[in-house]
Amino acid sequence: MTVALGAGAALAHYNGRAPDGTAAPAPATTEATTEAAAPAPTTTTPTPPPVKAKPKPKPKPTPKKTTVPQSGAGTFTTAQASGSPVGDSGVLRRYRVQVEDGVDLSARETAAEIQQILSHPRGWAAHGRGRFQLVSQNADFVIRIATPDTADTLCARQGLNTHGELNCETSDGVVVNLKRWMLGSPTFAGTAAEYRHLIINHEVGHEIGIRKHMGCPGPGKLAPAMMQQIKGLNGCRSNAFPYSEDGIYITGPIVS
């Protein structure tokens, strides 16, 4: 039954009439509408600020190697300088400073440095072992800075063999090997500038009457200024000054 009715309705619809004999309304026209898809939300990634390239570090300059001439003219320039006496007590000793001609060292500046060394609070003058005055003439002794060959020649006149390496005391003063003055010593644990204190303190120590050399007083102790430290420390610590920071004289056994 249901099928028949459905079939009749379908037939009447087909013939343009409704089941009750009226004209069938025109079929509604349906427009297929396609809803446009909503655009996907856009996300904007912020552009990072440009990274500034770090400047490349400038290469450190290679330290200029100090070169010491083996020989020189054999003549000397005297520092035209003078100063007030250093020290408050003891015998006054006047000294002048000479630098071998042709070496890259100012006689005047060298004299000023030696004057500072002799006025150091751990030096001879500060502890009453003498007074020292820089002069350009009428000196009691001379401090000469000489190339290794010239130093050997001057020291040989005193019967001393310095092997192009060592300083010596002469009849009229002190001969300082330019190599030691500029480079220091391989046995010394300080700078060449500090080693210059040892050179002057050792050689002036002879000038004030300490004729003998000293040895190491014991392992780990400070080496005396009157020890020939360049020949080996024998367990001591290298030291440039006659006195400790506490004002105690640094001594050791007499060895030569």
Side-chain angles (χ1 to χ4, degrees), residues 23-156:
T29 302
T30 59
E31 293 183 0
T33 60
T34 304
E35 185 178 354
T42 59
T43 57
T44 304
T45 303
T47 304
V51 179
K52 293 182 180 181
K54 293 182 179 180
K56 294 182 179 180
K58 295 181 180 180
K60 294 182 180 180
T62 303
K64 186 178 179 181
K65 185 177 180 180
T66 302
T67 56
V68 178
Q70 184 64 29
S71 60
T75 56
F76 292 84
T77 293
T78 298
Q80 298 303 307
S82 60
S84 301
V86 172
D88 297 324
S89 60
V91 177
L92 175 64
R93 292 177 174 84
R94 299 176 179 85
Y95 66 94
R96 71 175 187 268
V97 175
Q98 295 183 333
V99 173
E100 188 168 359
D101 294 327
V103 304
D104 188 19
L105 201 63
S106 161
R108 190 179 186 87
E109 290 176 4
T110 301
E113 184 173 1
I114 292 173
Q115 188 177 32
Q116 290 179 342
I117 290 172
L118 290 172
S119 62
H120 193 279
R122 292 177 62 186
W124 299 116
H127 293 271
R129 298 297 293 270
R131 293 179 297 139
F132 307 98
Q133 184 178 15
L134 172 65
V135 296
S136 58
Q137 56 186 352
N138 299 322
D140 298 305
F141 67 99
V142 183
I143 299 175
R144 293 187 177 92
I145 314 292
T147 58
D149 284 355
T150 300
D152 282 352
T153 299
L154 296 175
C155 295

Side-chain angles (χ1 to χ4, degrees), residues 162-235:
T162 47
H163 307 285
E165 298 288 339
L166 307 177
N167 312 308
C168 75
E169 182 189 10
T170 63
S171 59
D172 64 347
V174 173
V175 175
V176 176
N177 189 310
L178 180 66
K179 184 187 291 186
R180 299 281 72 84
W181 188 261
M182 298 299 294
L183 303 180
S185 165
T187 65
F188 190 80
T191 63
E194 187 178 352
Y195 188 74
R196 292 197 277 272
H197 282 257
L198 177 57
I199 292 173
I200 297 302
N201 286 326
H202 183 97
E203 300 303 339
V204 171
H206 289 314
E207 289 294 325
I208 64 175
I210 306 174
R211 316 310 307 174
K212 300 290 185 179
H213 290 125
M214 297 178 185
C216 176
K221 294 185 178 182
L222 290 176
M226 297 313 298
M227 178 179 175
Q228 291 180 298
Q229 296 181 38
I230 194 171
K231 295 183 177 181
L233 294 171
N234 299 324

